[in-house]
Amino acid sequence: MRRHSPEQSRDQKGAPRGACLRAVLLSILVAAPLSSCSKNTSGAWFEKPKTSRQWLDIALEASTPDERRRGVMGLSRSADGQTDWAMKVYDTIARTDKDTMVRTTAVGAMWPAANSEQVPVLLKLMQADTQHYEDVKPAAAPLRWEAARVLLAIVNDYRYRDDQRPEIVKVLLARLSSDPDRNVKLTIIETLSYFAENPIPAALANVMEENDFAIQSAAERSLIALTGVTHHHIAAAWKTWLAETKNPFEKAGQIPEGTAPHDKPRKWKWEWGW
């Protein structure tokens, strides 16, 4: 007598058992919620826009760094992306997330609305490779660089308070001589060009002695912006001139004769905008 395979066996109503299972699975799939997906008028599936709260939850609670970073970016693009509470979220993530790129993205998200409120955390992040802070995790080079860039944006637009100036200059000068990352140092050199005060010119002349033409050129541009004179990337000539000049800032803002176009102070180009 021929036996049916299990797939060919029938239930009490005579239907194949395999067909019954497929029908049950299909009914479950049809009844399941479609999450944030829906159909548009043409019948194509699309994902409904997430709310600011949903992006916030992803940024703070997602299990993977890529998802948390996506949450930060989504929040920054939302209607609430530059509100006070969103800035506090970026601050928290920049200080405490376990992943450097998530933290770096959070700092970049501060940029459009960054002001004096963000200066303290940016200064801490710039020093968090060597300084210990209870509320800030150590900061790798990409994070320190992003913090320096946002600080430059704040300085460029004069979005800091006057009473913050001494601390800003102090940290910039300290990191100019101690930060091992080239990009951080280049950004610091440019930021210092906004502060016409001693001992900034001497510090820039010192860093010009490094065997790195990009750093030498950046220091020359900042010194031109501060003094209105040029010594063509020669550190010794700058040091001699500074020692002999009573007021090195007298011609600040002028462009000296013989200055090559690439030596003139340049306007920073912002690269944020995902």
Side-chain angles (χ1 to χ4, degrees), residues 146-167:
E146 195 74 348
R149 280 157 46 90
V150 176
L151 180 65
L152 173 54
I154 292 172
V155 170
N156 180 67
D157 296 335
Y158 199 71
R159 290 185 258 163
Y160 61 94
R161 299 193 313 269
D162 285 338
D163 64 333
Q164 293 176 320
R165 178 178 175 127
E167 185 65 17

Side-chain angles (χ1 to χ4, degrees), residues 122 147-157 187 190-194 268 270:
L122 295 173
R149 280 157 46 90
V150 176
L151 180 65
L152 173 54
I154 292 172
V155 170
N156 180 67
D157 296 335
T187 306
E190 185 165 358
T191 309
L192 285 170
S193 70
Y194 290 82
W268 183 264
W270 303 113

Side-chain angles (χ1 to χ4, degrees), residues 24-42:
V24 171
L25 289 174
L26 181 60
S27 67
I28 293 173
L29 289 172
V30 170
L34 295 176
S35 182
S36 59
C37 295
S38 184
K39 275 188 176 181
N40 59 24
T41 54
S42 66

Side-chain angles (χ1 to χ4, degrees), residues 23-191:
V24 171
L25 289 174
L26 181 60
S27 67
I28 293 173
L29 289 172
V30 170
L34 295 176
S35 182
S36 59
C37 295
S38 184
K39 275 188 176 181
N40 59 24
T41 54
S42 66
W45 294 104
F46 69 97
E47 186 176 3
K48 292 181 180 178
K50 288 183 172 58
T51 65
S52 300
R53 178 55 188 268
Q54 288 173 319
W55 286 125
L56 169 65
D57 291 342
I58 294 171
L60 293 176
E61 300 176 7
S63 59
T64 67
D66 283 347
E67 277 298 292
R68 294 198 302 278
R69 183 171 180 269
R70 179 170 169 261
V72 173
M73 293 169 64
L75 177 58
S76 72
R77 292 168 175 163
S78 73
D80 296 314
Q82 303 306 318
T83 58
D84 289 343
W85 68 262
M87 297 297 281
K88 289 181 172 63
V89 171
Y90 306 143
D91 181 294
T92 298
I93 294 172
R95 290 185 293 103
T96 64
D97 196 274
K98 297 178 181 179
D99 184 81
T100 293
M101 292 314 297
V102 175
R103 298 172 70 189
T104 301
T105 302
V107 172
M110 295 178 181
W111 164 65
N115 56 40
S116 59
E117 295 297 318
Q118 283 67 54
V119 168
V121 70
L122 295 173
L123 294 179
K124 284 185 177 181
L125 288 170
M126 288 176 63
Q127 303 174 87
D129 59 331
T130 56
Q131 297 282 341
H132 173 72
Y133 299 102
E134 293 292 337
D135 60 338
V136 180
K137 291 181 180 294
L143 179 56
R144 298 198 310 277
W145 184 27
E146 195 74 348
R149 280 157 46 90
V150 176
L151 180 65
L152 173 54
I154 292 172
V155 170
N156 180 67
D157 296 335
Y158 199 71
R159 290 185 258 163
Y160 61 94
R161 299 193 313 269
D162 285 338
D163 64 333
Q164 293 176 320
R165 178 178 175 127
E167 185 65 17
I168 292 173
V169 171
K170 177 183 175 182
V171 172
L172 289 173
L173 287 173
R175 299 309 298 181
L176 178 65
S177 61
S178 66
D179 200 292
D181 186 80
R182 183 175 188 250
N183 289 321
V184 175
K185 192 167 290 190
L186 286 169
T187 306
I188 288 171
I189 289 171
E190 185 165 358
T191 309

